[in-house]
Amino acid sequence: MFTKRSRALTIPYWEGSFTHPFIVELQQGTLSPEAFRYYLIQDRYYLEHFSNIHLLIAEQIDNEAVKEMLMTGASHLAEGEIAIREGFFKELGITDEEIASTPIAPTAYNYVSHMYRQLLDGSVKSAVAGLLPCAWLYQEIGVELIKSGSPDSLYQRWIETYAGEEAAKDVAYQCDLLNGLYEEASEREKEQMIQAFVISSKMEYLFWEMSYTHQTWPEGDLSATSQY
Ligand SMILES: Cc1ncc(CO)c(N)n1
């Protein structure tokens, strides 16, 4: 079964996410506002492309149930998560200027590129598999963190986005569809699906790390341009 096999192969990354200081401190309410702000700005880029990839895959896939799930997924993102984030941006005074002047960090760029790439040298099936850790991991984090909640009201609202019944149902349905796709896949496609899921799981883990450490691109040799 796809979900069993892929989850078993990614335990360290999932555990690494559950226990990452970004998540632990978010729950405790001690996560620095700068780290959360950086996360939100990077994740805005991520969500925009994540939603776009849903539509690109939907155009290419011939499985009607998966196509439908992807189209609904894209509109749920727009009405739900992306809309909620807009509220966070307003509340924190994150302006379009700040967004435009914050470079996309390597990990956000790599994660998004990895998902698009499935449509070039993977397959439509592996493209769907690459999306799954996103909703699934956040839903598991939501369920865990909601148990004691966060004393910070903004962090609490972040947790609530992922902890509801709807999110759980959604993930269960996505897992069912992925298991179906895996059943009918060729051996090569099966490996590509697993690979796409594994890399996305690693990228999810790195995304916390990127936010927590304020990851940026290396600057190269700045002295090389100082004479101009
Ligand atoms: C990086 C990342 N993964 C998953 C989600 C959940 O949609 C998100 N908002 N961002």
Side-chain angles (χ1 to χ4, degrees), residues 39 43 46-47 50 77 81 85 111 134 138 162 204 207:
Y39 164 81
D43 207 40
Y46 173 86
L47 285 171
F50 184 62
L77 277 167
E81 200 174 357
R85 294 292 179 87
Y111 192 0
C134 173
Y138 272 52
Y162 309 105
E204 285 292 343
F207 213 90

Side-chain angles (χ1 to χ4, degrees), residues 2-174:
F2 176 74
T3 46
K4 282 235 162 66
R5 194 175 157 214
S6 58
R7 266 300 262 113
L9 287 169
T10 51
I11 289 169
Y13 311 111
W14 284 59
E15 288 305 314
S17 284
F18 297 144
T19 58
H20 195 279
F22 186 97
I23 291 300
V24 173
E25 293 176 18
L26 185 136
Q27 177 164 39
Q28 291 169 347
T30 54
L31 178 67
S32 84
E34 291 75 27
F36 194 63
R37 194 177 189 93
Y38 198 54
Y39 164 81
L40 287 177
I41 294 175
Q42 299 299 332
D43 207 40
R44 182 180 181 278
Y45 169 85
Y46 173 86
L47 285 171
E48 182 185 324
H49 287 281
F50 184 62
S51 168
N52 189 31
I53 295 165
H54 274 67
L55 300 177
L56 280 180
I57 306 173
E59 277 171 19
Q60 297 186 28
I61 200 153
D62 53 16
N63 180 310
E64 281 308 314
V66 179
K67 189 193 285 271
E68 171 90 32
M69 180 270 283
L70 292 165
M71 308 279 284
T72 322
S75 62
H76 280 174
L77 277 167
E79 293 155 14
E81 200 174 357
I82 293 173
I84 291 169
R85 294 292 179 87
E86 286 302 319
F88 288 8
F89 279 82
K90 277 219 179 75
E91 207 168 311
L92 294 173
I94 302 175
T95 60
D96 290 348
E97 289 72 41
E98 181 176 350
I99 294 165
S101 65
T102 307
I104 301 309
T107 294
Y109 186 80
N110 284 340
Y111 192 0
V112 162
S113 302
H114 158 65
M115 292 190 292
Y116 279 117
R117 183 185 171 161
Q118 295 312 310
L119 292 172
L120 296 174
D121 69 353
S123 65
V124 268
K125 290 192 182 81
S126 71
V128 185
L131 304 181
L132 184 62
C134 173
W136 191 1
L137 176 75
Y138 272 52
Q139 189 267 331
E140 287 201 10
I141 289 176
V143 166
E144 198 45 44
L145 298 196
I146 201 80
K147 288 180 187 161
S148 54
S150 176
D152 181 290
S153 72
L154 190 61
Y155 297 166
Q156 177 63 15
R157 270 180 286 146
W158 183 90
I159 294 169
E160 284 165 2
T161 315
Y162 309 105
E165 260 309 297
E166 272 308 298
K169 270 201 214 133
D170 218 49
V171 166
Y173 185 57
Q174 281 185 45

